[in-house]
Amino acid sequence: MPANPTPPRRLIAHLDMDAFYASCELLRYPDLRGEPVVIGGGRRHQPEPQPDGTRRYARLADYAGRGVVTTATYAARAFGVHSAMGLMKAAALAPQAVLLPTDFDLYKRCSRAFKAAVAELAPVIEDRGIDEIYIDLTEVPGAQDTIGHDPLGGARALAREIKNNVQRATGLTCSIGVTPNKLLSKLASELDKPDGLTVLTLDEIPTRIWPLPVRKLNGIGPKAGAKLAGLGLETLGQLAQCEPEWLIERFGQSYGAWLHRAAWGRDERPLVTDSEPVSMSRETTFDRDLHAVRDRSQLSAIFTELCRRVAEDLQRKGYVGRTVGIKLRFDDFKIVTRDLTLPANTADFASIRQAAGQCLKRVDLRRRLRLLGVRVGNLHRADLPELPSRRSTRAPARPGRPMPKPAATTMLVAREPGLFDDLPDETAN
DNA sequence: TCTGGGGTCCTAGGACCC
DNA sequence: TCTGGGGTCCTAGGACCC
């Protein structure tokens, strides 16, 4: 056996499309270039073609509803508008901004096109959703080359080529970060947005990474960010100076240790180039909060429709699942989930509807509902043989947790057996 | 004028099995 | 009447991400 040669240093890129949905829209509405444009909301605000060949766009000021901003152009961001902001709030900041509905089919086409353009140059790609990917450049010819005095010149040149290829193929710009791992590349791709290219080595962590707020780190969200702030830790540099034991005491073994490693830019995770979906779901927020009894027929129709769409998604993509679940968001924003594991895989509408109905019976429905969702998990590809489950051959699942027994309003719930479950008119076909 | 929709992963307790 | 431990599955909730 020959001795193992030292493995080449890892060169990992993170590529993030700039204001992706909005940029896709600008490809077909070039007259909006440079304008504040916001993507979000339902289908009620399609641009209307005018007799003179121009288009009439909806303005944010005209919007009424519960939608949020999905993406905003940089011109709109200048007004303080950003993703996940309520559209009504965005309208207060930038009433004159153009509002476009989301068109996922368009974005999916652009997504496939940019990923294909990257794959021509670097085929090892981890999908991270519609608008971003990780790329392993380690083994790409030329990526490890020194150019002039720049030991990362080859990597830099390759990243530039990737950006050019994406631009040629889609007309869209992206930002790329190249570092020794995914965690740092994700941070690096943001440092020079839009149309950015940032190559970082480990020596640059103190100067380039440590000044950043902790929230920039992928894995520190609102909760952890607030807790860290409460401990006086605002930047990654401050986090890095903490003793691991001190962090573990406050954040638990796993997360505490990770926080420390992450602040030092340590991350050995490989790219995941083949992943199978774990679950598929459909959910909807109502225009107004609905009550299980008073709005029963409306809820029943929505519930059934969600089940139908999940079944359709599963069948179209060729998956079956064994766990059916529901999700409810009440008017106070509290979320409740229930699920039920079936004896066998299914992608069948009637089975999903039936199981989801069983789940619904275990929820106290006195509060009004804001959102309803249906999910199928435990997915397997439909064309693969079903693995025998030890569980499924045994006794039937024990009954779910009983519904809490409310006092005065019990009658309201109890006299509607099954609530909006199992209505023959909704489930007939 | 509050706060979408589609996901993943983790934790934790109890059931159940060996 | 008292004593195990390990492992997996199921369920519910929650954090986080795009």
Side-chain angles (χ1 to χ4, degrees):
Chain A
M1 281 278 283
N4 283 335
T6 52
R9 63 179 170 176
R10 289 214 302 164
L11 286 173
I12 307 298
H14 179 258
L15 182 157
D16 197 317
M17 298 299 290
D18 300 324
F20 184 57
Y21 295 179
S23 305
C24 294
E25 297 288 354
L26 293 182
L27 291 175
R28 62 173 172 190
Y29 303 136
D31 48 313
L32 290 178
R33 218 159 265 283
E35 298 286 316
V37 178
V38 165
I39 316 296
R43 271 166 243 342
R44 285 185 292 274
H45 41 272
Q46 291 290 347
E48 291 169 19
Q50 300 297 295
D52 63 359
T54 63
R55 277 174 296 265
R56 189 192 158 87
Y57 299 104
R59 301 283 156 177
L60 214 37
D62 305 326
Y63 180 82
R66 296 174 144 182
V68 298
V69 175
T70 306
T71 323
T73 58
Y74 288 91
R77 294 182 198 191
F79 290 94
V81 173
H82 57 79
S83 298
M85 176 182 279
L87 282 171
M88 297 301 271
K89 184 174 176 184
L93 295 170
Q96 77 285 17
V98 166
L99 175 61
L100 293 174
T102 40
D103 179 354
F104 274 105
D105 291 337
L106 171 67
Y107 315 145
K108 277 184 214 152
R109 284 199 302 277
C110 292
S111 181
R112 281 192 291 269
F114 97 73
K115 287 169 188 173
V118 174
E120 288 176 7
L121 295 168
V124 182
I125 292 174
E126 174 177 333
D127 230 296
R128 293 304 305 184
I130 199 160
D131 72 337
E132 61 183 78
I133 52 176
Y134 289 104
I135 318 163
D136 197 334
L137 307 181
T138 307
E139 309 276 1
V140 176
Q144 303 277 355
D145 294 356
T146 295
I147 293 179
H149 292 296
D150 183 1
L152 288 161
R156 213 180 301 273
L158 177 57
R160 203 166 292 288
E161 259 192 275
I162 289 173
K163 278 166 63 76
N164 289 341
N165 222 34
V166 166
Q167 164 92 56
R168 253 198 313 276
T170 64
L172 299 171
T173 64
C174 62
S175 298
I176 298 186
V178 184
T179 81
N181 64 52
K182 296 205 284 189
L183 190 81
L184 289 172
S185 295
K186 171 84 177 157
L187 286 169
S189 68
E190 260 201 78
L191 290 179
D192 190 27
K193 244 181 178 317
D195 200 14
L197 172 53
T198 302
V199 182
L200 284 187
T201 62
L202 294 179
D203 335 324
E204 294 174 279
I205 289 174
T207 55
R208 305 294 304 275
I209 300 302
W210 283 356
L212 299 173
V214 292
R215 280 297 313 277
K216 292 286 178 190
L217 205 59
N218 200 255
I220 300 183
K223 297 287 178 178
K227 186 164 170 183
L228 287 166
L231 294 166
L233 301 170
E234 308 279 354
T235 68
L236 290 171
Q238 291 173 313
L239 186 59
Q241 295 318 308
C242 296
E243 292 295 336
E245 294 73 24
W246 188 87
L247 289 168
I248 287 168
E249 276 167 30
R250 283 153 186 82
F251 292 91
Q253 177 56 242
S254 168
Y255 194 64
W258 176 82
L259 281 174
H260 188 262
R261 285 198 309 275
W264 284 85
R266 294 174 192 148
D267 174 25
E268 300 303 323
R269 292 170 303 163
L271 267 66
V272 178
T273 53
D274 54 341
S275 64
E276 287 286 328
V278 173
S279 69
M280 291 185 194
S281 65
R282 288 286 185 158
E283 64 183 55
T284 189
T285 295
F286 317 131
D287 292 336
R288 61 176 182 90
D289 297 342
L290 299 178
H291 190 273
V293 175
R294 293 192 288 279
D295 303 302
R296 171 180 157 156
S297 67
Q298 208 182 336
L299 274 169
S300 177
I302 292 167
F303 190 47
T304 298
E305 173 64 12
L306 290 168
C307 293
R308 196 186 59 70
R309 289 169 73 174
V310 172
E312 214 177 71
D313 292 343
L314 287 166
Q315 290 166 26
R316 179 164 33 81
K317 297 177 181 168
Y319 288 90
V320 290
R322 214 160 60 83
T323 303
V324 175
I326 61 166
K327 167 176 162 184
L328 296 84
R329 193 186 332 245
F330 293 98
D331 55 3
D332 61 357
F333 251 72
K334 262 195 54 145
I335 291 172
V336 160
T337 63
R338 293 289 181 269
D339 59 41
L340 176 62
T341 298
L342 303 171
N345 286 323
T346 188
D348 171 60
F349 159 72
S351 313
I352 293 167
R353 178 64 180 78
Q354 220 277 322
Q358 291 302 114
C359 292
L360 197 57
K361 286 181 179 169
R362 312 206 306 256
V363 184
D364 178 351
L365 293 170
R366 281 171 298 167
R367 290 202 78 100
R368 287 196 302 173
L369 292 168
R370 179 183 179 92
L371 168 148
L372 193 53
V374 175
R375 192 181 82 100
V376 174
N378 241 315
L379 297 189
H380 303 279
R381 281 181 47 180
D383 56 359
L384 262 36
E386 186 173 349
L387 295 172
S389 155
R390 277 187 275 162
R391 237 352 192 252
S392 65
T393 55
R394 283 203 312 263
R398 62 197 183 294
R401 205 173 281 193
M403 203 175 83
K405 287 271 164 39
T409 47
T410 303
M411 288 308 293
L412 185 69
V413 179
R415 71 157 183 259
E416 299 280 347
L419 296 153
F420 50 94
D421 174 35
D422 298 325
L423 290 182
D425 54 326
E426 301 296 345
T427 56
N429 48 353

